[in-house]
Amino acid sequence: MSIERYFERIRYGGSATPDEGALAALHLAHAEAIPFENLDIHLGRAIGSDVSGLFTKMVLNRRGGYCFEQNGLFGAMLEGLGFRTRHALGRVTFGAQVPRPRGHLLNLVEIGSRRWIADVGFGGYGLLEPVPLEPGREHRAGGETYRIVNAAGAGFELEMKGMEGWKSLYWFDETPCYSVDVDVMNFYHFHSPASFFHQNRVVALAGRDRRVMLTNDELKIVRGGTAETRVIADEDAYCRVLVDEFGIELPGDPAADLRPHPSIPKRRSAA
């Protein structure tokens, strides 16, 4: 693994000093360069937590990944640069009707007397820049406003301010997270029909000027608070969107290799 290759992948040419400015710049560069995606689940490829494998996939092979991959890689790169960082597990609350498992990974970074949430793995509505772990304080990051609140009982919730007020993204606490915890959740998302990521293909890329989200057959592009949506016609069109909007080129014949989803017809030429 090479920090230089990682910097090339995220198009980063700034400071490598482990301070707040570099953390914010690295976070933004990673979030804008490496898309969120769970397509390996739908290609029948088990997801691992080994950092060298994550580096090969997302840096050398220029793929994306979901939270356990994204924040696994980002945390390792920060640690290699001298940042004090550790993982924490969260529970996604965004749109949840019932409690979800601790199925989200984030990084907690300590710089001087302050701690930061560094999370490049939440998808289309995720952070572009880190947020200080300072409950009750509003913080502007990447064009959006966030805050941390103390959760009922224990832990914290990360909230994002939208047109209709504050919306909870996820709950987390500071219970130590180990590699085996990540392995268990990767196994769950890969195998369990109850997993959101097992049920749905999700691809997203956040940027300062727009957020692009592809969920099954729906492509949504959000700019300045307005959303444009369109429906993907078939698997061939789906694979073209992966390349055009997210820079994801899957090996082989992805239109045939991807596990069928009921919302996406097979290529029309095969009908």
Side-chain angles (χ1 to χ4, degrees), residues 50 74 109 121 140 149 161 165 183 190 192:
D50 177 71
F74 190 52
V109 182
R140 192 77 175 164
V149 299
K161 193 172 188 179
D183 291 338
F190 185 79
S192 175

Side-chain angles (χ1 to χ4, degrees), residues 170-189:
Y170 56 81
W171 169 96
F172 68 98
D173 66 10
E174 298 185 76
T175 301
C177 172
Y178 304 104
S179 295
V180 66
D181 299 316
V182 173
D183 291 338
V184 167
M185 291 313 305
N186 279 334
F187 185 89
Y188 168 78
H189 287 309

Side-chain angles (χ1 to χ4, degrees), residues 12 15 23 31 38 40 69 103 117-118 131 149 159 169 172 183 199 245:
Y12 183 72
S15 169
L23 176 64
N38 70 331
D40 273 0
E69 299 170 291
I117 297 174
V131 169
V149 299
E159 297 184 332
L169 299 184
F172 68 98
D183 291 338
Q199 297 171 3
E245 295 290 346

Side-chain angles (χ1 to χ4, degrees), residues 99-122:
R100 290 173 174 164
R102 292 187 184 222
H104 181 64
L105 187 73
L106 58 142
N107 292 294
L108 299 178
V109 182
E110 183 177 337
I111 302 175
S113 62
R114 303 182 79 188
R115 290 185 299 164
W116 297 79
I117 297 174
D119 182 359
V120 294
F122 194 72

Side-chain angles (χ1 to χ4, degrees), residues 150-260:
N150 291 309
F156 309 95
E157 285 190 46
L158 174 66
E159 297 184 332
M160 179 180 181
K161 193 172 188 179
M163 298 294 291
E164 300 177 357
W166 291 100
K167 189 173 185 66
S168 176
L169 299 184
Y170 56 81
W171 169 96
F172 68 98
D173 66 10
E174 298 185 76
T175 301
C177 172
Y178 304 104
S179 295
V180 66
D181 299 316
V182 173
D183 291 338
V184 167
M185 291 313 305
N186 279 334
F187 185 89
Y188 168 78
H189 287 309
F190 185 79
H191 290 281
S192 175
S195 163
F196 177 83
F197 290 125
H198 187 91
Q199 297 171 3
N200 300 279
R201 300 183 198 170
V202 183
V203 189
L205 190 61
R208 282 164 286 190
D209 59 340
R210 65 175 192 161
R211 293 174 181 260
V212 186
M213 291 158 275
L214 176 62
T215 305
N216 300 322
D217 68 338
E218 181 185 85
L219 177 68
K220 178 186 290 187
I221 301 176
V222 179
R223 295 186 183 90
T226 61
E228 168 195 343
T229 62
R230 67 182 173 95
V231 175
I232 306 303
D234 57 24
E235 289 285 16
D236 284 340
Y238 183 90
C239 294
R240 286 195 296 272
V241 168
L242 291 181
V243 175
D244 294 343
E245 295 290 346
F246 305 100
I248 297 174
E249 294 190 50
L250 298 176
D253 183 0
D257 295 341
L258 283 162
R259 187 174 68 211

